[in-house]
Amino acid sequence: MALRLRELRLHLDEDESLLAARAAQQLSLNLIDLQDFRIVRKGVDARKKSDILRVYTVEFGIADESGLLKRQAQNPLLSRVEPPDSFDPIRLGKRRRVIVVGMGPAGYFAALTLQKNGADVLLVERGKPVAERLKDVQSFWRGGPLNPQSNIQYGEGGAGTFSDGKLTTRINHPLVTEVLKALIEFGAPEEILYQAKPHIGSDRLRKVLVRMRQCLLAGGAEIRFSTCLTDLVQGAGGLAGAILNGDQFEACDSLVLAVGHSARDTYRMLQQQKVALESKPFAIGLRVEHPLELINRIQYGHPNHPHLGAAEYALTWQDKTAGRGVYSFCMCPGGVIVNASSEPDGVVVNGMSDFKRDAAWSNSALVVTVGGEDFGSADPLAGMNFQRHWEEQAYQAAGSCGAAPGQSLLSFLNGRSADFSSSCQPAAVEADLSRVLPPAVTESLRRGLPHFDQRMRGFVGSEAMLLGVETRTSAPLRILRAEDGCSLNLPGLFPAGEGAGYAGGIMSAAIDGIKTANLVTCHLNKR
């Protein structure tokens, strides 16, 4: 067993080597009494800029555990560590073939889990392996043409491959730790287990993906890239198989549909197959970028400090006038803004950071909630069509050249003149951003920005730039499923992850992939 001590604090200039002695002092122990001392949580308390603290949770063993707990009975920060939940594989009674569509976090973790459960797995991805995908993306950033099948949205790893690799989630589930441990086994840094806001970074995430793929191949899985799900084949009892690339039939016992939030042709195919879908709200807006050192000063009072990483922020405000939420989303410290389009006549922006987060700029989406009243139709695809409309507007506003339209924040807010520049890859051109958003979204953003500046003095200033348009915050629809994980009206089809409308980020998508894989296994064992 072990004990856990929370809220152990170090001043900014104190070294982490002092932690064990600090813990021993607080508990009236000798340093030598602490065994297997380790950090399990690390965060920053920057509420008092003149005395920023690093806050830790640590675990350790001790010979007289019961005696220490008795002496410290009034200490709410000390507790016994409960044994972790164990997750034994749910084994298939006989060999079954399962197709997994999509190699984002939901698809990858579904495939890994199904393989452990004894399934024969065929994993298909419409895009390319991550190394080839990176070449296509870099070519686009250098001014080359967009590859509609290999870009920031499509390819091994999903859209999260070109992001910050954030591993934060609001889900309080034992599988969170299991996913983190699996990522470490595949090459992620060990500190993701104890960071308050863990991230891998786009650069390290690519290496993790290769090792995940190698693990699946070594276990006997079949993997096909440049392979798109183009149709479903229904039989008397439900799903019988899939059509890949227009003419290749593959029979299966079940299919996990783990496509991303930009699989628009797949959504249309599902509607034609009369699979139960519903439109759902999401958010759209712009992406803001500031100099990294400016955000560090606002948050920490320091432009740069060796014991502090690039500063993050999360901002929310409720526009009661319009009944809409306005908030920051997918903040990328020390990163760049990228054109994340998947269609040649549209522009979508997103943020991206490497593990070190050492680029000169920090950026975040600033988005406003939208829903059915904005889409103008009850069609389940109405939200998707709404996205496409504003992406096309952004493309045209930037001169139909593939650049992203941008504007200084002050100019967008109140028409004040300010020079425009941006880190955006491959390019950005100055434009009136009110042309690339619905008027209601523009108005809510303009009302919300002064409130954000009250929270972070200096957020609204001449160094802040806006890029448009950010529309792919989440899936615009949900593929409806029952409690057993199956599609509501097509047995054997198991929607999973962000593109199905059941996750929002790497961690929640991975967890949904695991849970879906186990539901598939239970379903097949009943047949």
Side-chain angles (χ1 to χ4, degrees):
M1 295 294 291
L3 298 179
R4 178 177 295 148
L5 180 63
R6 297 182 293 109
E7 296 188 28
L8 198 60
R9 299 171 183 270
L10 290 178
H11 294 286
L12 191 54
D13 293 321
E14 291 182 307
D15 194 87
E16 284 185 355
S17 61
L18 297 173
L19 277 173
R22 188 70 49 85
Q25 180 184 27
Q26 288 189 16
L27 299 173
S28 301
L29 299 171
N30 294 317
L31 180 58
I32 197 171
D33 294 335
L34 303 184
Q35 304 164 9
D36 301 321
F37 186 89
R38 66 189 184 98
I39 298 169
V40 296
R41 193 75 168 171
K42 177 180 178 180
V44 175
D45 182 352
R47 288 174 294 179
K48 189 176 181 181
K49 301 293 189 294
S50 61
D51 188 19
I52 293 177
L53 299 171
R54 288 170 295 152
V55 184
Y56 298 82
T57 297
V58 299
E59 291 181 0
F60 58 90
I62 188 170
D64 186 14
E65 183 179 294
S66 297
L68 178 61
L69 287 171
K70 185 175 181 180
R71 294 193 301 274
Q72 295 281 331
Q74 302 305 312
N75 185 350
L77 304 180
L78 183 68
S79 61
R80 181 178 275 116
V81 178
E82 298 299 325
D85 293 315
S86 60
F87 298 93
D88 296 325
I90 305 172
R91 300 295 301 180
L92 279 166
K94 60 181 180 179
R95 302 297 294 188
R96 299 283 195 163
R97 192 179 197 223
V98 181
I99 298 176
V100 178
V101 179
M103 290 179 70
Y108 251 134
F109 275 89
L112 288 164
T113 304
L114 284 162
Q115 189 173 73
K116 289 179 183 177
N117 294 355
D120 292 326
V121 176
L122 169 59
L123 179 58
V124 301
E125 166 56 51
R126 70 186 303 158
K128 297 182 182 180
V130 68
E132 296 178 41
R133 180 186 181 194
L134 178 61
K135 292 178 182 178
D136 290 335
V137 170
Q138 289 177 333
S139 173
F140 175 58
W141 288 346
R142 289 192 296 267
L146 173 72
N147 184 334
Q149 299 301 327
S150 180
N151 47 61
I152 287 179
Q153 304 295 347
Y154 300 148
E156 185 177 20
T161 305
F162 295 92
S163 66
D164 186 46
K166 286 181 179 61
L167 302 176
T168 50
T169 178
R170 296 176 183 174
I171 297 175
N172 183 16
H173 195 284
L175 282 175
V176 169
T177 300
E178 297 302 307
V179 170
L180 293 174
K181 287 180 178 178
L183 291 171
I184 291 170
E185 289 179 9
F186 293 124
E190 290 190 8
E191 55 259 45
I192 64 174
L193 269 177
Y194 60 77
Q195 290 173 324
K197 297 179 180 179
H199 78 287
I200 299 180
S202 185
D203 50 344
R204 294 204 181 187
L205 183 57
R206 297 172 204 143
K207 298 175 183 178
V208 169
L209 293 169
V210 172
R211 293 180 181 178
M212 293 176 78
R213 185 203 321 157
Q214 291 169 343
C215 177
L216 281 165
L217 290 171
E222 182 183 357
I223 297 177
R224 299 184 197 173
F225 290 100
S226 300
T227 302
C228 185
L229 172 69
T230 49
D231 210 349
L232 300 173
V233 178
Q234 301 188 36
L239 185 71
I243 303 296
L244 307 177
N245 287 342
D247 58 3
Q248 303 167 21
F249 172 74
E250 293 288 345
C252 63
D253 295 294
S254 288
L255 186 147
V256 176
L257 188 62
V259 295
H261 56 40
S262 297
R264 292 172 172 173
D265 50 357
T266 304
Y267 291 155
R268 287 192 294 269
M269 179 271 291
L270 294 172
Q271 187 179 53
Q272 291 168 2
Q273 283 279 3
K274 297 184 173 15
V275 173
L277 310 171
E278 69 176 9
S279 179
K280 77 172 185 63
F282 54 97
I284 71 169
L286 305 170
R287 189 156 281 265
V288 63
E289 64 178 350
H290 299 83
L292 168 72
E293 292 189 352
L294 173 62
I295 297 299
N296 287 351
R297 284 194 187 96
I298 293 172
Q299 296 296 79
Y300 296 146
H302 297 266
N304 202 346
H305 193 284
H307 287 165
L308 293 172
E312 300 183 54
Y313 60 81
L315 298 166
T316 62
W317 178 70
Q318 187 65 31
D319 183 358
K320 295 180 180 179
T321 301
R324 299 177 188 270
V326 184
Y327 60 95
S328 63
F329 172 79
C330 188
M331 198 261 159
C332 293
V336 296
I337 294 178
V338 294
N339 184 334
S341 301
S342 58
E343 297 175 342
D345 57 352
V347 168
V348 185
V349 292
N350 199 1
M352 173 180 155
S353 302
D354 285 340
F355 178 73
K356 290 184 177 180
R357 291 175 162 176
D358 56 358
W361 295 79
S362 290
N363 66 77
S364 177
L366 299 179
V367 294
V368 178
T369 54
V370 293
E373 70 279 4
D374 302 293
F375 306 156
S377 168
D379 185 339
L381 303 188
M384 183 189 81
N385 296 330
F386 177 83
Q387 287 176 324
R388 174 178 283 121
H389 170 78
W390 293 108
E391 291 164 12
E392 291 173 348
Q393 292 296 110
Y395 180 77
Q396 295 165 16
S400 302
C401 63
Q407 190 174 14
S408 74
L409 188 151
L410 290 177
S411 178
F412 172 80
L413 183 60
N414 52 32
R416 289 173 56 184
S417 177
D419 293 335
F420 173 73
S421 63
S422 173
S423 71
C424 185
Q425 301 285 343
V429 298
E430 192 167 8
D432 179 2
L433 291 180
S434 65
R435 292 176 52 194
V436 308
L437 294 171
V441 171
T442 298
E443 292 164 7
S444 285
L445 280 175
R446 285 174 173 161
R447 284 193 288 264
L449 282 165
H451 292 273
F452 291 166
D453 194 60
Q454 290 175 10
R455 292 269 307 277
M456 294 177 59
R457 290 296 184 185
F459 190 87
V460 173
S462 60
E463 295 180 281
M465 304 295 153
L466 296 173
L467 279 295
V469 60
E470 178 109 7
T471 54
R472 312 278 181 98
T473 54
S474 67
L477 57 78
R478 183 172 287 110
I479 307 169
L480 298 177
R481 65 188 187 188
E483 289 186 6
D484 64 357
C486 272
S487 159
L488 274 187
N489 60 345
L490 182 53
L493 177 67
F494 288 79
E498 188 162 356
Y502 295 98
I506 292 173
M507 288 299 296
S508 59
I511 290 169
D512 198 59
I514 295 171
K515 292 164 69 175
T516 300
N518 287 330
L519 289 170
V520 170
T521 306
C522 293
H523 171 80
L524 293 175
N525 278 338
K526 293 177 182 178
R527 292 174 58 186

